[in-house]
């Protein structure tokens, strides 16, 4: 069996330090905000998996449809011998690419969660025993020094996760990706597309209330990790479409006037009734906008594939 190698680039307390910094900044900011990465503790990850199976939540199914239909074409166009996946998680969707990339020699999954990386690697090695897996615990939004692996390389950033970055953050991220690319390498990017408002809002505010529980779970994370006394039930889940910026915003709205104590930060946070915490931005895209953002980062869009309903896109781009 091929060895599984894990490179740790994050300090032992990196997650704890980042959480403290994000909560201190976000809950003393006006308006209040928290980054969406803190949804994903064990419970949050379970809830998100449940969300992906809901009838309202189309992105996972739409992207999987494209991968099933286009992975062979992606393999033929790129000739990739190394697949680098940013924010790899369970690597579930990646299996379509791994099966199609017949010349693949190395897989480099990058994620902040060591447990997710080791679990995914164990499963993948059963299916691809000769695959050289070089996993990295790292923050993919920052510059990465990738291991030496055979080229050409295909860098994949799937799931529409790029939509969780604000415009300035997206440009910084895409420039960092551009720096990873050598001649012949390519970026495979997943982007959710602009569509009818009712379809978009329903995907983030399902009838069963699973997304509402997922949203409020971030407060449970802060309670557990930072000794806070949030009562998640005192906050209502809100999802709305920002037409001007073409993104969905998820928020938590205080149902009443209250104060929250965060012991580990020695911080008391007041809330007025109706005051909100923005917990996620999920930008939706148009082809021309994706093309322009890639161009500003020094990449050229060369391929564009959508699902049959035109809801989601995978694009392929190369360095210029």
């Amino acid at each position: 069996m091929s060895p599984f190698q894990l490179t740790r680039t994050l300090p032992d307390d990196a997650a704890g330090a980042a959480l403290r910094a994000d909560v201190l900044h976000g809950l003393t900011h006006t308006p209040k905000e928290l980054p969406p990465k803190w949804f994903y503790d064990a419970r949050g990850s379970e809830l998100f998996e449940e969300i992906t199976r809901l009838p309202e939540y189309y992105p996972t199914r739409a992207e999987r449809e494209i991968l099933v239909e286009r992975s062979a074409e992606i393999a033929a166009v790129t000739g990739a011998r190394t697949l680098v996946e940013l924010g790899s998680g369970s690597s579930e969707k990646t299996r379509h690419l791994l099966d199609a990339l017949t010349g693949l020699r190395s897989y480099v999954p990058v994620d902040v969660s060591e447990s997710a990386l080791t679990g995914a690697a164990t499963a993948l090695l059963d299916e691809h025993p000769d695959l050289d897996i070089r996993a990295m615990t790292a923050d993919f939004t920052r510059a990465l020094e990738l291991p030496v692996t055979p080229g050409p390389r295909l860098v994949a950033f799937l799931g529409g996760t790029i939509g969780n970055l604000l415009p300035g953050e997206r440009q910084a991220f895409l420039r960092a990706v551009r720096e990873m690319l050598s001649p012949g390498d390519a970026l495979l990017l997943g982007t959710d597309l602009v569509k009818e408002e009712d379809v978009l809002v329903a995907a983030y505010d399902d009838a069963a209330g699973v997304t509402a529980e997922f949203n409020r779970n971030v407060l449970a994370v802060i309670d557990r990790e930072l000794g806070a006394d949030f009562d998640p039930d005192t906050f209502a889940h809100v999802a709305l479409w920002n037409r001007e910026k073409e993104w969905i915003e998820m928020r938590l709205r205080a149902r009443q006037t209250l104060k929250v104590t965060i012991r580990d930060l020695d911080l008391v946070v007041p809330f007025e009734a109706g005051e909100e915490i923005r917990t996620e931005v999920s930008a939706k895209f148009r082809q021309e906008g994706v093309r322009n953002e890639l161009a500003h980062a020094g990449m050229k869009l060369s391929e564009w594939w959508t699902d049959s309903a035109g809801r989601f896109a995978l694009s392929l781009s190369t360095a210029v």
Side-chain angles (χ1 to χ4, degrees), residues 58-87:
Y58 61 85
T60 302
R61 292 188 299 275
E63 186 176 49
R64 185 181 297 115
E65 177 190 321
I66 304 169
L67 285 168
V68 168
E69 292 186 357
R70 299 291 186 173
S71 283
E73 186 176 350
I74 293 167
V77 171
T78 63
R81 300 182 69 204
T82 294
L83 173 63
V84 179
E85 185 177 11
L86 306 178

Side-chain angles (χ1 to χ4, degrees), residues 76-313:
V77 171
T78 63
R81 300 182 69 204
T82 294
L83 173 63
V84 179
E85 185 177 11
L86 306 178
S88 56
S90 66
S91 301
E92 186 63 37
K93 290 177 292 187
T94 321
R95 284 169 165 77
H96 301 294
L97 287 171
L98 292 174
D99 291 341
L101 291 164
T102 54
L104 198 68
R105 296 292 174 266
S106 296
Y107 174 47
V108 184
V110 180
D111 203 275
V112 295
S113 171
E114 184 172 330
S115 61
L117 289 168
T118 55
T122 300
L124 288 174
L125 283 173
D126 287 339
E127 302 166 19
H128 301 274
D130 296 325
L131 187 62
D132 180 25
I133 300 181
R134 307 283 190 94
M136 297 178 64
T137 58
D139 181 350
F140 64 74
T141 63
R142 301 186 179 185
L144 295 176
E145 185 173 339
L146 296 173
V148 177
T149 56
R153 293 183 298 188
L154 174 62
V155 178
F157 191 41
L158 304 175
T161 307
I162 193 167
N164 295 145
L165 304 177
L166 296 172
E169 295 170 335
R170 288 203 302 270
Q171 274 304 293
F173 167 75
L174 290 172
R175 284 194 294 270
V177 170
R178 167 63 183 83
E179 292 303 310
M180 297 180 201
L181 302 181
S182 299
D185 294 348
L187 167 66
L188 182 68
L189 181 65
T191 48
D192 196 7
L193 302 179
V194 174
K195 57 187 67 66
E196 297 83 358
E197 180 175 348
D198 59 339
V199 174
L200 287 165
V201 172
Y204 294 83
D205 193 12
D206 60 277
V210 182
T211 311
E213 185 179 352
F214 174 71
N215 194 8
R216 283 190 285 263
N217 184 65
V218 72
L219 304 181
V221 170
I222 296 171
D223 282 352
R224 182 184 66 245
E225 300 296 331
L226 299 181
D229 61 358
F230 275 106
D231 177 357
D233 290 337
T234 61
F235 287 81
H237 166 68
V238 178
L240 56 86
W241 172 241
N242 186 319
R243 293 183 184 86
E244 178 185 355
K245 296 180 178 178
E246 293 192 326
W247 66 40
I248 286 282
E249 291 187 18
M250 288 209 313
R251 303 175 184 177
L252 291 168
R253 178 180 295 157
R255 301 181 190 271
Q256 62 198 53
T257 300
L258 55 91
K259 290 183 179 179
V260 174
T261 300
I262 305 177
R263 186 188 62 227
D264 290 6
L265 298 179
D266 193 23
L267 180 67
V268 176
V269 183
F271 288 87
E272 298 294 330
E275 187 175 358
E276 296 174 339
I277 310 169
R278 188 175 74 183
T279 53
E280 181 175 86
V281 162
S282 185
K284 308 306 171 186
F285 297 89
R286 303 175 189 271
Q287 182 176 0
E288 195 56 33
V290 174
R291 186 188 306 277
N292 290 338
E293 291 199 30
L294 289 166
H296 288 149
M299 289 179 279
K300 180 180 180 181
L301 190 152
S302 56
E303 303 285 349
W304 179 267
W305 301 286
T306 68
D307 65 296
S308 56
R311 300 166 296 178
F312 197 94

